[in-house]
Amino acid sequence: MSRLLTAAFAATMLQSAGVALAQDAYPNRPITIIVPAAAGGPSDTVARLVAQSMSSTLGQQVLVENQGGAGGSLGSGAAARAEADGYTLLLYHVGVATFAALYPDLPYQPIDAFDSVGLITEVPLTMVARQDLPANDIDQLLTALREDGDTMTFGTAGVGSVSDLCGMLLSNALDTEMVVVPYPGTGPAMTDLLGGQIDLMCDQTTNTAGNIETGAIKGFAVTTRERVPLFPDLPTVAESGIDNFEITAWHALWAPKGTPEDVRQKLSEALVTALHDETVIDRFAQLGTVPVADGQATPDALDTLFRSEVERWTQLIGQFTAPTAQ
C-alpha cells in the first residue's frame, strides 16, 4: 500500500509540475503592441497586419494600442517603462532614431531602452505637391525650390515625423529653406495638400498611392535607392542629380530592455512567420511596400540598422535649430 501511495504521490507531483510549466510557458496571456501614433496611420496599419498573423502563431491575442503624442516619444516611453516580460512591445518607424536628438530631456534613451525584435518593412516615400503647382517634373520642382524655396510651404506630420525628416534632407541637399507647416498627423496634412492649402510634402506610399493615381495630387519622385514598382514612372530623387538622397519609413518591433532572450527569439520567429503570411504580403503590396528579407527581421539586423540611423539623424538634426516638441 505504501508503495502505491508513493507512486500515486509522485505521479501527482509530476502532473502538477507539468501544469505549472505549461502555465509559465510564454505566452500565456494577450500581448500588447504599443503604436505611438494615431489609429489609421501607416504605423497602425502595419502593426495590425503583423499582429493578426502573430496572434495565430503565438496562440495568444496580440492587441494594438495607440498612444500618440510628442512625435511618438510618449507612447515609446510607455513601452520603455513596461515590464520586460514580452507582453508589451513597441512598433514604430524610423522616428524612434530621432528622439535623442529632438528631445534631449527625455527620461529614456531609445538606444538603451529597447531590445530589438526585428525589422518589418521599409515603406517608400513619395515627394508630392498640390495638383495645380506649376512644376511638372522633379527637375522643375527642384529648380523652383532652389529659386523660391523660402516662399513654398512644406507640410509635415509634426516634429520628428518621417515627412519632417524628408524635408530636412531636402533643405540640406538644396541648401534652401522652406516654410515648414507641422500638422498633428499625415491625414490633416494630406487634406490641406488636396485642398491646395500647402504646396508640397513627402509622405509614405501608404498615404499617397490613391491620390496620385486619381490625379488629385502630383507625384514627382520616390525617396528610395531604386524606383518603386507601384510607381514605375516616378524617378528617384537621386536620378535628378542629388546624391545620397535616401529615406524610407522603415518599421520595426522592439521589446523593453531586459526581455528574456528566449522570449525575444520566440517573438522574432513569430514576426518572420508573419512576413511570409500571404495576407500581409498582399496588403503590403497594395501599400507600395514589401516585407523585409528574413535576414533583416532579426534582433541583430535591427540592432545594426538602429544604431546607424540614430547616428545619421542625430548629425542631420544637429544642423537645424532644435524644434519645439509638439
Side-chain angles (χ1 to χ4, degrees):
M1 179 66 71
S2 176
R3 291 180 181 177
L4 289 174
L5 288 173
T6 300
F9 176 76
T12 300
M13 291 300 293
L14 286 173
Q15 183 178 18
S16 298
V19 170
L21 286 172
Q23 289 175 340
D24 291 338
Y26 174 84
N28 59 20
R29 55 188 171 89
I31 298 166
T32 297
I33 295 178
I34 292 178
V35 174
S43 296
D44 181 63
T45 299
V46 169
R48 292 181 188 280
L49 285 169
V50 168
Q52 184 175 3
S53 178
M54 290 181 69
S55 295
S56 177
T57 301
L58 295 170
Q60 290 288 341
Q61 189 172 12
V62 180
L63 308 169
V64 174
E65 181 178 312
N66 300 91
Q67 293 190 30
S73 64
L74 293 183
S76 298
R81 293 189 302 271
E83 188 173 350
D85 56 7
Y87 289 98
T88 302
L89 309 174
L90 171 69
L91 191 152
Y92 203 40
H93 55 49
V94 58
V96 182
T98 71
F99 291 166
L102 289 171
Y103 309 103
D105 295 329
L106 276 183
Y108 68 97
Q109 292 295 313
I111 202 74
D112 301 317
F114 299 108
D115 282 332
S116 296
V117 175
L119 192 64
I120 298 172
T121 185
E122 296 185 272
V123 181
L125 271 67
T126 43
M127 198 171 292
V128 295
R130 57 184 168 86
Q131 196 277 333
D132 57 351
L133 192 78
N136 291 311
D137 58 41
I138 185 61
D139 292 329
Q140 291 179 13
L141 177 62
L142 296 181
T143 297
L145 285 168
R146 288 188 176 100
E147 295 176 352
D148 302 301
D150 59 350
T151 68
M152 299 182 71
T153 49
F154 185 91
T156 77
V159 174
S161 65
V162 184
S163 51
D164 189 37
L165 299 179
C166 183
M168 290 184 193
L169 271 183
L170 189 60
S171 290
N172 187 63
L174 300 179
D175 193 23
T176 188
E177 293 186 6
M178 299 178 289
V179 181
V180 176
V181 183
Y183 290 83
T186 53
M190 180 58 71
T191 297
D192 273 7
L193 187 70
L194 289 165
Q197 305 302 308
I198 56 174
D199 293 318
L200 67 153
M201 65 184 292
C202 284
D203 201 3
Q204 301 175 48
T205 52
T206 49
N207 290 337
T208 62
N211 289 319
I212 291 175
E213 290 171 356
T214 62
I217 57 176
K218 286 183 177 180
F220 288 91
V222 293
T223 64
T224 44
R225 185 181 297 109
E226 299 176 350
R227 293 196 181 198
V228 176
L230 186 65
F231 301 117
D233 295 330
L234 288 187
T236 66
V237 176
E239 287 179 55
S240 66
I242 300 179
D243 295 330
N244 301 317
F245 193 105
E246 183 181 350
I247 175 174
T248 63
W250 55 263
H251 290 76
L253 189 65
W254 291 270
K257 195 71 174 180
T259 298
E261 185 61 22
D262 60 332
V263 170
R264 190 160 58 127
Q265 289 300 325
K266 193 164 189 177
L267 288 167
S268 180
E269 291 167 5
L271 176 61
V272 170
T273 299
L275 300 184
H276 285 273
D277 188 314
E278 288 300 326
T279 299
V280 173
I281 293 171
D282 291 346
R283 184 69 178 117
F284 276 10
Q286 294 172 20
L287 301 174
T289 188
V290 296
V292 299
D294 290 357
Q296 292 178 281
T298 65
D300 288 345
L302 178 54
D303 275 342
T304 300
L305 172 68
F306 191 37
R307 291 182 183 279
S308 110
E309 287 285 79
V310 168
E311 181 179 355
R312 177 193 187 195
W313 294 113
T314 298
Q315 290 178 354
L316 179 64
I317 291 168
Q319 299 176 30
F320 293 80
T321 302
T324 302
Q326 298 295 304

